[in-house]
């Protein structure tokens, strides 16, 4: 297993907390690692970029990664999708300024039809996802005829920042049967959270809940299909558990919780 980290302080902390010696820690940029590393069959690679700067470099690294992977390898990228990181100007319209900034950051990965609405907070993750599609859709991989098949795309809140994560697998474009066999054996067609056609990413943000709130909600789940999950869980608690965004936002977040609660982690303090 390989871990890549360019920040020296973070890299040193990783070395201190490394749980096993089979994890190789590389203090370098992801691009430098990808250019020199030779991938063997059976890879799962995640490029996790938290900084909004260097967007063009991030997309270029992902393009390079996909070009070096082989059949059935999995590639994932996470990008900062917080539109506020594009900044603003007192001299011009905020959306116009942000659009110019984004066009500059994306370079030739951006679409020619980008509009000011594409940098609004709700649409910005989809805009970045289209840039990822551009990055992986214009190249031939090392094994001629392979292509990047999208599997999922999610938007979530990581602290103060909105993040986008896109995951796909390398398949053989020349063989229709190869694609059919993959989805039949993996059963991705039956996965409720799939995204196979570059539709807008799915929001998976959930409200911050206390342990008691979570236990109460879990006891009321799953929700019958004929009920509105958000309304049902608000009624279960008797109040809205989120003050951010008002009651409507709280109901939407609780509806998300009803969808993802089986996979949503619970962090608790323990005494060792």
């Amino acid at each position: 297993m390989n871990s890549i980290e360019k920040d020296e302080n973070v890299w040193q902390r990783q070395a201190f907390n490394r749980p096993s010696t089979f994890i190789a820690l590389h203090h370098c940029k992801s691009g430098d690692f990808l250019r020199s590393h030779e991938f063997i069959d059976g890879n799962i690679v995640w490029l996790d970029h938290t900084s909004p700067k260097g967007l063009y470099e991030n997309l270029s690294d992902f393009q390079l990664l996909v070009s070096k992977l082989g059949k059935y390898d999995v590639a994932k990228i996470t990008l900062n999708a917080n539109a506020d990181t594009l900044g603003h100007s007192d001299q011009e319209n905020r959306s116009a300024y942000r659009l110019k900034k984004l066009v500059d950051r994306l370079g030739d990965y951006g679409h020619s039809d980008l509009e000011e609405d594409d940098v609004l907070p709700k649409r910005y993750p989809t805009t970045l996802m289209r840039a990822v599609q551009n990055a992986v859709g214009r190249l031939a991989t090392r094994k001629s005829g392979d292509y990047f098949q999208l599997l999922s795309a999610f938007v979530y809140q990581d602290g103060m920042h909105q993040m986008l994560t896109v995951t796909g697998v390398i398949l053989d474009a020349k063989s229709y049967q190869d694609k059919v066999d993959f989805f039949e054996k993996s059963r991705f067609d039956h996965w409720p959270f799939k995204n196979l056609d570059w539709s807008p990413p799915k929001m998976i943000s959930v409200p911050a809940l206390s342990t008691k709130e979570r236990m109460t909600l879990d006891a009321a789940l799953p929700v019958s299909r004929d009920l509105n999950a958000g309304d049902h869980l608000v009624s279960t608690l008797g109040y809205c558990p989120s003050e951010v965004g008002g009651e409507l936002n709280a109901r939407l977040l609780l509806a998300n919780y009803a969808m993802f609660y089986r996979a949503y982690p619970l962090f608790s303090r323990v005494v060792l």
Side-chain angles (χ1 to χ4, degrees), residues 191-224:
W191 191 43
F193 311 125
K194 67 180 181 296
N195 187 338
L196 309 179
D197 57 2
W198 297 94
S199 300
K202 185 182 294 292
M203 172 66 74
I204 59 173
S205 290
V206 297
L209 300 169
S210 68
T211 301
K212 186 175 181 179
E213 287 173 336
R214 179 165 180 164
M215 292 175 64
T216 301
L217 294 176
D218 286 358
L221 293 170
V223 176
S224 173

Side-chain angles (χ1 to χ4, degrees), residues 33 35 69 117 149 186 203 218 232 240-242 259 268:
F33 175 85
R35 279 186 286 272
L69 293 179
D117 286 352
Q149 169 62 55
S186 66
M203 172 66 74
D218 286 358
H232 175 69
C240 291
S242 175
M259 186 181 300
S268 300

Side-chain angles (χ1 to χ4, degrees), residues 3-20:
S3 174
I4 313 164
E5 177 56 56
K6 69 177 182 179
D7 185 283
E8 182 173 2
N9 188 70
V10 174
W11 173 67
Q12 290 178 342
R13 188 179 185 190
Q14 290 174 344
F16 180 84
N17 290 285
R18 182 170 59 169
S20 177

Side-chain angles (χ1 to χ4, degrees), residues 1-3 14-26:
M1 181 178 291
N2 294 285
S3 174
Q14 290 174 344
F16 180 84
N17 290 285
R18 182 170 59 169
S20 177
T21 55
F22 71 76
I23 303 174
L25 303 178
H26 304 271

